[in-house]
Amino acid sequence: MQSRTPAARTGRPRSAAADAAILAATRAALVELGWSKLTLGDVATRAGVAKTTLYRRWAGKNELVVDAVAVLFDELRLPDSGSLADDIEGVVLQFATILARPEARSGLMAVVAESTRDDALRERIRVSIVDRQKRLVLEGRSRAQARGELPQESDPSSASRTADLIFDVVAGAVVHRTLVSGEAVDTEWARRLARVLLSGLGSTV
């Protein structure tokens, strides 16, 4: 029996270089123009691609901005400082630094506001930003458990809910302080937040 060869894919494959150029151009436009004046035509010109290239990849401006901002949060790294308190403090300070960038501040606030009436956009924010950054919580908790700072959790569903709550507390506090209250996130504030969080987790440190 003759083996069947896989059917050839139709259409031109996406270019990672083009995607990166488009997202970089989007962030540059956010800095110079802000969300309200940003257009896909301007982004296409800056990236050196046809406007149709953007529409093949993104449904509209909101989705494009979400993906452009998501790249910034992918820069977050969990410090391996030897203590959970210091790890939390380090991530909080990194997060606040990213939020202070004009492209992150204007882009994130705009798409979050738009998502209040767009369920698909809210889901894109969750998948592209929130879910991707929950890795930091899982990594930090695993290290802390290995060091004996946090108890092991035998129930996977409970552990998952705890991870979600930790992320919500940290992200919510930092976003509110930087983007809503307009207050600085300095070392002392980050340290206090870490202490509050650890007391709730029942840390032994």
Side-chain angles (χ1 to χ4, degrees), residues 162-186:
T162 299
D164 288 346
L165 183 57
I166 294 170
F167 182 89
D168 290 346
V169 169
V170 173
V174 179
V175 168
H176 184 275
R177 186 167 178 85
T178 56
L179 300 186
V180 180
S181 297
E183 300 287 342
V185 173
D186 55 19

Side-chain angles (χ1 to χ4, degrees), residues 44-122:
T45 300
R46 290 169 184 263
V49 300
K51 190 175 177 179
T52 53
T53 301
L54 272 69
Y55 281 112
R56 284 198 298 267
R57 289 162 163 78
W58 291 276
K61 181 170 78 170
N62 290 332
E63 292 76 13
L64 174 60
V65 169
V66 169
D67 287 0
V69 171
V71 173
L72 299 178
F73 294 111
D74 286 341
E75 298 174 7
L76 287 167
R77 295 292 179 270
L78 184 71
D80 193 1
S81 61
S83 86
L84 181 56
D86 290 342
D87 287 352
I88 294 171
E89 180 183 326
V91 168
V92 165
L93 292 173
Q94 288 179 58
F95 187 28
T97 298
I98 291 174
L99 286 176
R101 295 170 64 166
E103 61 270 42
R105 184 171 60 248
S106 64
L108 185 62
M109 291 291 277
V111 294
V112 167
E114 291 293 314
S115 73
T116 60
R117 52 182 177 269
D118 186 336
D119 291 342
L121 181 60
R122 184 185 297 112

Side-chain angles (χ1 to χ4, degrees), residues 131-143:
D131 286 354
R132 284 193 344 216
Q133 300 316 318
K134 283 183 181 177
R135 61 184 170 82
L136 299 168
V137 174
L138 300 175
E139 184 181 350
R141 185 177 60 183
S142 177
R143 287 182 188 173

